[in-house]
Amino acid sequence: MIGAKADISERRQAETMHAVQLSVGNKLEKSASLSEAVPTIIRTMCELQGWTVGTFWLVNSQDKTLHCNALWHQAGLPAAHFSQIYQGLVLQQGDGLAGRVWKTGNAILCPDILNEADFPAFHEAREADLHGGIAFPIDAGKEILGIMEFLTYERLRPSASRLEQVGALGAMITQFLHRKD
């Protein structure tokens, strides 16, 4: 019975990701630039996949830092205070999920950010009861342009398929950037 539940859960996850990819593709097609599309993409991903907070971290190539370019969170939830603090952070390579993705160039799934002592705004994340997180790069050629990061109240199970799916989403957004150049 456990195997059947896992299969159903993976199938639902794949169906949801397919809906996300269709919706994100539609929003990208209607947008003139990534900066125009990002807030809508973040909200769409959060709403369709049940993420509590979604963030787009933009790489500042001059000072070699990550800055919050866009953030969306579910309304009226404890994450509002966390989001306010999180938006003002400046991250270095290796800091938190976004900084680790920037450093490695690979998508990362963190089952519980509260087990990461170096997570930025750790205390606010704990107060907001945030746990699981996933982040993936958006690149422009050989350089990473930014990082999309999503956090949830749930603890996440490690999942290679979920990482592959968000990697594919990152690749789709990267293709959009190349078409618009």
Side-chain angles (χ1 to χ4, degrees):
M1 186 61 132
I2 293 173
K5 284 183 180 181
D7 287 345
I8 291 169
S9 177
E10 292 232 351
R11 188 176 58 210
R12 275 196 198 126
Q13 183 180 330
E15 289 169 356
T16 300
M17 183 53 80
H18 182 69
V20 167
Q21 289 173 336
L22 289 174
S23 182
V24 167
N26 185 23
K27 291 181 183 1
L28 288 170
E29 283 298 318
K30 293 179 179 180
S31 300
S33 67
L34 183 61
S35 61
E36 181 184 317
V38 161
T40 308
I41 289 171
I42 290 172
R43 181 178 181 156
T44 298
M45 287 187 65
C46 286
E47 289 176 341
L48 290 176
Q49 293 192 294
W51 296 109
T52 307
V53 178
T55 311
F56 180 64
W57 295 94
L58 192 60
V59 173
N60 182 326
S61 57
Q62 292 177 345
D63 67 1
K64 306 273 191 272
T65 57
L66 287 174
H67 298 264
C68 180
N69 178 266
L71 185 142
W72 183 89
H73 65 86
Q74 293 177 0
L77 297 171
H81 177 68
F82 167 82
S83 296
Q84 183 180 20
I85 300 299
Y86 211 52
Q87 272 184 291
L89 294 177
V90 175
L91 305 179
Q92 306 292 320
Q93 272 195 351
D95 291 349
L97 292 181
R100 289 196 324 232
V101 169
W102 184 25
K103 186 174 185 175
T104 66
N106 298 316
I108 294 176
L109 184 147
C110 181
D112 191 343
I113 60 173
L114 297 182
N115 291 333
E116 306 287 323
D118 68 339
F119 187 80
F122 176 86
H123 297 291
E124 290 81 4
R126 186 175 57 208
E127 287 174 14
D129 200 28
L130 293 170
H131 290 280
I134 196 162
F136 58 93
I138 305 299
D139 60 80
K142 295 181 181 182
E143 289 187 42
I144 292 178
L145 172 70
I147 312 296
M148 289 201 149
E149 177 185 54
F150 298 90
L151 305 172
T152 182
Y153 294 126
E154 299 174 32
R155 287 172 182 83
L156 300 176
R157 285 190 331 242
S159 167
S161 64
R162 184 176 251 179
L163 282 174
E164 287 175 22
Q165 291 167 348
V166 296
L169 190 59
M172 182 171 70
I173 295 169
T174 295
Q175 287 175 352
F176 167 80
L177 289 175
H178 291 293
R179 282 197 319 262
K180 294 294 180 179
D181 283 346

